[in-house]
C-alpha cells in the first residue's frame, strides 16, 4: 500500500514523538501499572503469603494462589464488556467511570484482604473478588486505549502495556 501511494509512509520518529507528547497516554501508563502491575506482584507473592500466614502446605498454598490467576479466564473480558456497555450509554465518560469504579473496588478489596489476615476463608474470598476487579480493570483499560490516538496506537499500546511491568517493579 505504501509503494502504491494508498498509504503515506510515516516517520517512526514523528509517531513516537506524537505518542510521547500525549499526556493521556502517560495517565493510562500509570493507571495500567495499578492494575496489571498489581496482578504480576500478586502472582509472585500470594502463594508465599498463604504459606507463611496460614501455615498451609506449599502445595495447598499454590493451589489456593492459582485462584487469583484463574480469574483471567473471564474477568478481563467482563471489564472490556462493561467498558463497551457504559460507552454505549455515556460515551467516553462511561468508559472512564468504569475503569475508575473497577480500580476503586480493587483497592477496597485489597484492604479487606489485608484486614482478614486471620481467616484463610475470608482471605481467599477477598482475594478472588480482588482479582476479578484487577482483571476487569485491565479489560476496562484496553477499552480506552484505542481512543487515545489513532496515529500512534501501536506506540501508545506498547507503552501502556509496559506500564504494567513498571507497576509490578515498583509495587514489589
Amino acid at each position: 500500500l505504501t509503494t502504491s501511494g494508498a498509504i503515506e509512509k510515516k516517520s517512526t520518529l514523528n509517531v513516537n514523538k506524537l505518542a510521547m507528547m500525549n499526556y493521556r497516554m502517560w495517565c493510562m501508563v500509570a493507571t495500567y501499572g495499578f492494575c496489571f502491575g498489581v496482578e504480576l506482584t500478586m502472582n509472585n507473592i500470594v502463594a508465599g503469603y498463604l504459606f507463611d500466614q496460614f501455615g498451609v502446605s506449599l502445595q495447598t498454598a499454590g493451589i489456593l494462589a492459582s485462584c487469583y490467576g484463574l480469574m483471567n479466564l473471564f474477568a478481563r473480558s467482563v471489564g472490556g464488556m462493561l467498558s463497551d456497555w457504559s460507552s454505549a450509554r455515556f460515551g467516553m465518560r462511561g468508559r472512564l467511570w468504569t475503569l475508575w469504579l473497577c480500580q476503586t473496588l480493587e483497592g477496597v478489596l485489597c484492604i479487606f484482604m489485608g484486614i482478614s489476615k486471620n481467616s484463610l476463608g475470608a482471605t481467599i474470598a477477598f482475594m478472588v473478588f480482588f482479582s476479578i476487579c484487577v482483571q476487569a480493570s485491565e479489560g476496562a483499560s484496553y477499552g480506552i486505549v484505542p481512543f487515545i490516538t489513532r496515529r500512534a496506537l501501536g506506540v501508545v499500546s506498547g507503552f501502556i502495556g509496559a506500564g504494567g511491568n513498571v507497576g509490578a517493579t515498583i509495587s514489589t
Side-chain angles (χ1 to χ4, degrees):
L1 291 173
T2 305
T3 55
S4 71
I7 295 178
E8 68 176 282
K9 176 98 170 107
K10 295 179 182 176
S11 163
T12 305
L13 185 61
N14 287 341
V15 171
N16 279 298
K17 183 179 174 186
L18 178 69
M20 288 189 231
M21 298 293 287
N22 192 327
Y23 75 93
R24 292 174 299 215
M25 180 196 77
W26 293 110
C27 292
M28 286 302 297
V29 166
T31 301
Y32 198 64
F34 293 132
C35 50
F36 187 63
V38 167
E39 177 187 357
L40 293 177
T41 300
M42 283 294 293
N43 286 335
N44 285 325
I45 67 168
V46 72
Y49 172 76
L50 295 173
F51 175 76
D52 292 340
Q53 182 68 25
F54 298 105
V56 297
S57 71
L58 200 51
Q59 182 179 12
T60 302
I63 291 168
L64 292 172
S66 72
C67 294
Y68 190 87
L70 286 172
M71 298 307 109
N72 272 307
L73 292 174
F74 72 94
R76 195 176 292 207
S77 301
V78 168
M81 289 186 291
L82 284 172
S83 180
D84 290 344
W85 174 81
S86 61
S87 174
R89 288 196 57 157
F90 306 108
M92 180 54 74
R93 187 171 301 232
R95 288 188 189 276
L96 295 170
W97 275 101
T98 299
L99 177 58
W100 179 83
L101 181 65
C102 288
Q103 285 199 308
T104 300
L105 285 172
E106 171 188 332
V108 169
L109 288 166
C110 184
I111 291 168
F112 283 137
M113 182 180 157
I115 291 171
S116 67
K117 67 181 184 214
N118 296 325
S119 168
L120 178 60
T123 297
I124 298 303
F126 283 124
M127 180 187 74
V128 167
F129 292 121
F130 167 56
S131 178
I132 290 169
C133 289
V134 169
Q135 315 312 328
S137 295
E138 293 166 12
S141 293
Y142 272 91
I144 296 168
V145 168
F147 302 101
I148 293 174
T149 176
R150 297 181 95 190
R151 291 180 287 170
L153 180 58
V155 176
V156 166
S157 183
F159 265 91
I160 292 170
N165 296 330
V166 171
T169 303
I170 291 170
S171 64
T172 301

